[in-house]
């Protein structure tokens, strides 16, 4: 049974940093495209960043240069390192997994199969 468990959200000031983690179990973690999404209540879900099993990464334009995505295939854990956070980054963040070896350029349009519960990130000005 595939399980994803997200953690690491919290409240920070404008310009602060947070790292989100997502631990995975129940499947061959290395054969999946892993992504981070976020959603503000009442708005559409947004793809933030993704990483394939080949290490290739994708980022939304809004977070390029500020966020970093990485994965530890030994620990079956996905990370989102968020620096220089802005109030507009405030959202519920979700990690997700899809059985694809790579994350293509339109990864954010894929209906990911497995999802973790959300973790809230709040950035105050």
């Amino acid at each position: 049974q595939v399980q994803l468990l997200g953690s690491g959200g919290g409240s920070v000031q404008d310009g602060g940093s947070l790292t989100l983690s997502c631990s995975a179990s129940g499947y061959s973690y290395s054969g999946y495209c892993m992504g981070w999404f976020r959603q503000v209540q009442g708005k559409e879900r947004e793809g933030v960043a993704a990483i394939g099993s080949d290490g290739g990464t994708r980022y939304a334009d809004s977070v390029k240069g500020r966020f970093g995505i990485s994965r530890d295939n030994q620990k079956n854990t996905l990370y989102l390192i968020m620096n220089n956070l802005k109030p507009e980054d405030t959202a519920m963040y979700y990690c997700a997994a899809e059985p694809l070896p790579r994350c293509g350029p339109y990864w954010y349009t894929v209906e990911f199969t497995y999802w973790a519960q959300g973790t809230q990130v709040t950035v105050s000005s």
Side-chain angles (χ1 to χ4, degrees):
Q1 183 178 359
V2 176
Q3 288 189 325
L4 299 175
L5 182 63
S7 62
S11 298
V12 296
Q13 295 284 330
D14 190 354
S17 298
L18 280 174
T19 296
L20 305 183
S21 301
C22 178
S23 60
S25 61
Y27 66 103
S28 177
Y29 176 78
S30 62
Y32 281 65
C33 168
M34 303 294 297
W36 287 100
F37 294 79
R38 65 187 181 188
Q39 189 168 23
V40 175
Q41 193 170 10
K43 295 188 177 181
E44 288 191 2
R45 188 176 61 206
E46 176 189 16
V48 176
I51 184 167
S53 56
D54 61 351
T57 57
R58 305 281 184 183
Y59 293 96
D61 288 343
S62 58
V63 305
K64 280 180 182 176
R66 300 189 298 121
F67 289 13
I69 188 171
S70 64
R71 62 193 291 168
D72 185 332
N73 288 340
Q74 297 296 320
K75 295 182 178 179
N76 288 356
T77 302
L78 177 73
Y79 303 98
L80 185 68
I81 301 100
M82 304 184 293
N83 296 315
N84 191 20
L85 282 160
K86 303 176 181 181
E88 52 263 42
D89 295 318
T90 295
M92 188 73 76
Y93 283 71
Y94 302 87
C95 73
E98 178 63 19
L100 294 170
R102 302 176 188 84
C103 303
Y106 300 104
W107 65 274
Y108 50 90
T109 65
V110 173
E111 288 295 328
F112 278 60
T113 302
Y114 305 105
W115 292 83
Q117 86 292 352
T119 185
Q120 178 68 35
V121 172
T122 302
V123 185
S124 56
S125 58

